[in-house]
Amino acid sequence: MNDERAKEFILERDALNRTKLARLIDWSPQSMNDWLKGKRGIPDDRLKDLEALLVNYGFVRKANEA
């Protein structure tokens, strides 16, 4: 999975509550913030959950992503 698409999607939308997104995928807000700043990676399971959540806000996965 490519986390850059999800990261860009979040960073381009100021209205998204990043703290709430982090909590909804059972991840700490600080870890989410560090990932958005490029200071850490995101675990595959968290990325999968995040992408599934972002679909509700208009995020479109690539055809080969599930």
Side-chain angles (χ1 to χ4, degrees):
M1 283 187 244
N2 184 354
D3 69 336
E4 291 302 314
R5 290 181 63 242
K7 188 184 297 187
E8 288 174 13
F9 185 86
I10 293 169
L11 291 173
E12 290 172 354
R13 289 156 178 82
D14 292 332
L16 288 177
N17 184 325
R18 297 170 187 172
T19 299
K20 182 129 184 164
L21 288 174
R23 291 187 176 139
L24 287 170
I25 63 168
D26 198 27
W27 208 29
S28 77
Q30 184 60 52
S31 293
M32 169 82 79
N33 190 45
D34 288 347
W35 170 66
L36 289 169
K37 290 182 177 181
K39 294 181 179 179
R40 71 175 299 154
I42 184 171
D44 286 342
D45 60 330
R46 299 284 192 260
L47 179 59
K48 181 179 174 187
D49 292 344
L50 179 61
E51 288 180 340
L53 181 63
L54 291 176
V55 166
N56 297 321
Y57 300 97
F59 181 74
V60 179
R61 295 180 182 180
K62 288 185 179 178
N64 61 350
E65 295 175 350

